[in-house]
């Protein structure tokens, strides 16, 4: 039996559990992520672990890459079974304690300005209800026993993982790298899907820096939160970076024909109305922050204008 296994989520796409790493050590088992909450998802993970000879009762520590429901919703199940120690970054710890705070890092209210006809009141979207009712992947809260930050080391069995702070998708998102074994748990930064990003979570600037940080590591294997194990680092990272720049280029191309309303740009980037209020608005805002910093675009109220 290998001492590090990855249990894949049901599907690579939301709503589905994140992949979960299970590592053996002398005291039992350590998990990276707890997967989705809710009966269906949690039961699947628990029985899968049992069938693999990884009894959930033996889990003594759970490390979370960030406080999102598909990664930590399942923690309520494990807290009941084995009272594991919970480790998360110091930046995401408040959201783990109080998931209502996710409304801020998701920048949910930002969409109200551009899509007033949707009629969201001050509360905007009730994220926690959305996770529970629509996605079937409820969020759970947990009091972290330990918080970590960039450069900290976490020993997990034979593996000594270094913490990389990799924001973009969540302000305190962390990836884990064992430089000796040349393996990395990338979380949502690298994987089959490009994670959404919002200004308060680090935006596209944070995302690009995070990709660079992982790219600089000498790696043979990347374990992503969503999708298959990656052995071709450059290709996988290049693909994600390519998608981010594809969005940026689309904005610049649109602006070649003159100024555009923010909303027009959202609709161009995200033709599906389901994606416009979130995460379309937040992703576009992230790109405009980058482009404005680079003096390529500017804004007057909701009108986005090209520079030069
Ligand atoms: Zn996430």
């Amino acid at each position: 039996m290998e001492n590090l296994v990855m249990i894949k989520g049901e599907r690579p796409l939301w709503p589905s559990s994140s992949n979960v790493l299970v590592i053996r050590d002398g005291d039992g088992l350590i998990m990276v992520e707890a997967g989705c909450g809710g009966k269906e998802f949690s039961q699947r993970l628990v029985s899968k672990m049992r069938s693999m000879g990884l009894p959930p009762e033996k889990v003594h520590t759970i490390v979370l890459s960030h406080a999102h429901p598909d990664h930590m919703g399942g923690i309520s199940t494990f807290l009941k079974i084995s009272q594991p120690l919970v480790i998360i970054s110091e930046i995401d710890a408040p959201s783990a304690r109080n998931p209502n705070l996710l409304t801020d890092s998701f920048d949910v209210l930002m969409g109200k300005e551009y899509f007033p006809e949707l009629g969201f009141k001050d509360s905007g979207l009730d994220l926690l209800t959305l996770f529970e009712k629509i996605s079937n992947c409820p969020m759970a809260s947990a009091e972290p026993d330990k918080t970590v930050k960039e450069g900290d080391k976490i020993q997990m069995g034979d593996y000594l993982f270094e913490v990389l702070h990799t924001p973009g998708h969540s302000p305190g998102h962390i990836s884990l790298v064992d430089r000796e074994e040349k393996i990395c748990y990338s979380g949502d930064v690298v994987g089959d899907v490009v994670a959404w990003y919002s200004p308060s979570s680090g935006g596209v600037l944070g995302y690009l820096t995070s990709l660079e940080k992982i790219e600089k590591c000498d790696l043979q294997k990347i374990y992503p939160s969503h999708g298959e194990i990656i052995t071709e680092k450059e290709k996988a990272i290049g693909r994600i970076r390519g998608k981010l720049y594809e969005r940026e280029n689309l904005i610049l191309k649109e602006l070649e024909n003159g100024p555009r309303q923010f909303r027009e740009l959202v609709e161009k980037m995200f033709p599906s109305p389901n994606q416009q209020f979130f995460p379309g608005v937040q992703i576009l805002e992230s790109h405009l922050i980058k482009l404005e910093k680079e003096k390529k675009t500017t804004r007057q109220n909701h009108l986005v204008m090209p520079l030069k």
Side-chain angles (χ1 to χ4, degrees):
M1 184 68 187
E2 262 192 88
N3 51 11
L4 183 153
V5 290
M6 183 177 94
I7 302 177
K8 276 181 58 191
E10 303 78 18
R11 296 171 296 277
L13 273 173
W14 168 268
S16 161
S17 286
S18 67
N19 296 336
V20 171
L21 289 191
V22 186
I23 299 166
R24 285 179 194 276
D25 72 359
D27 299 323
L29 302 173
I30 299 161
M31 287 170 76
V32 178
E33 319 287 31
C36 274
K39 243 185 168 173
E40 176 205 338
F41 289 114
S42 285
Q43 273 177 4
R44 177 189 174 272
L45 179 56
V46 164
S47 29
K48 185 108 195 181
M49 285 173 71
R50 287 198 204 287
S51 72
M52 293 170 86
L54 305 164
E57 293 77 15
K58 294 266 176 169
V59 176
H60 61 76
T61 304
I62 299 183
V63 182
L64 299 164
S65 66
H66 62 300
H68 283 180
D70 50 332
H71 298 253
M72 82 166 281
I75 202 134
S76 50
T77 301
F78 290 92
L79 287 172
K80 271 183 227 143
I81 301 178
S82 67
Q83 295 90 45
L85 211 80
V86 177
I87 302 178
I88 192 164
S89 75
E90 56 186 18
I91 300 171
D92 274 13
S95 298
R97 262 180 222 120
N98 174 14
N100 281 308
L101 295 175
L102 290 176
T103 307
D104 299 336
S105 61
F106 276 57
D107 287 313
V108 176
L109 301 186
M110 203 175 263
K112 279 199 314 169
E113 212 177 319
Y114 307 102
F115 294 89
E117 79 276 14
L118 295 179
F120 291 112
K121 299 279 182 310
D122 284 344
S123 58
L125 270 180
D126 180 356
L127 268 188
L128 300 186
T129 305
L130 185 94
F131 295 148
E132 184 154 357
K133 299 268 158 63
I134 300 179
S135 75
N136 223 2
C137 177
M139 185 52 176
S141 63
E143 179 58 42
D145 298 283
K146 194 180 160 193
T147 60
V148 289
K149 55 180 187 319
E150 172 87 10
D152 284 353
K153 304 265 166 69
I154 314 174
Q155 186 78 47
M156 300 190 211
D158 296 338
Y159 304 91
L160 180 63
F161 281 106
E162 186 182 321
V163 172
L164 303 180
H165 178 216
T166 45
H169 169 70
S170 174
H173 187 288
I174 55 168
S175 303
L176 303 164
V177 59
D178 182 328
R179 297 187 189 274
E180 191 81 15
E181 296 292 328
K182 300 186 178 174
I183 60 171
C184 172
Y185 179 74
S186 61
D188 281 350
V189 180
V190 187
D192 277 8
V193 286
V194 178
W196 59 263
Y197 36 100
S198 62
S200 299
S201 292
V204 70
L205 285 164
Y207 205 150
L208 288 168
T209 313
S210 298
L211 286 172
E212 219 172 280
K213 219 181 251 187
I214 294 177
E215 195 172 38
K216 276 190 189 142
C217 302
D218 181 11
L219 299 172
Q220 279 168 359
K221 247 187 210 177
I222 297 178
Y223 297 90
S225 287
H226 302 279
E228 306 288 336
I229 294 173
I230 295 159
T231 50
E232 292 176 282
K233 178 188 74 178
E234 275 81 16
K235 204 172 147 191
I237 293 178
R239 197 181 61 84
I240 308 265
R241 190 183 281 127
K243 293 248 166 137
L244 300 180
Y245 277 107
E246 210 175 275
R247 286 184 183 147
E248 177 171 313
N249 291 335
L250 190 145
I251 298 167
L252 292 173
K253 188 134 196 13
E254 269 303 294
L255 294 175
E256 272 174 19
N257 304 316
R260 287 281 179 273
Q261 290 295 331
F262 187 100
R263 182 171 169 148
E264 284 179 85
L265 290 173
V266 176
E267 287 164 351
K268 191 84 198 171
M269 282 170 100
F270 297 92
S272 159
N274 295 335
Q275 293 186 309
Q276 291 166 356
F277 184 86
F278 183 90
V281 165
Q282 294 73 8
I283 288 178
L284 175 58
E285 181 66 34
S286 300
H287 281 279
L288 293 180
I289 289 171
K290 176 176 182 288
L291 291 170
E292 284 161 13
K293 211 172 156 195
E294 294 166 354
K295 306 217 180 315
K296 290 181 181 159
T297 63
T298 184
R299 247 184 295 183
Q300 215 166 51
N301 300 318
H302 291 177
L303 192 67
V304 183
M305 294 168 285
L307 281 176
K308 314 181 264 206

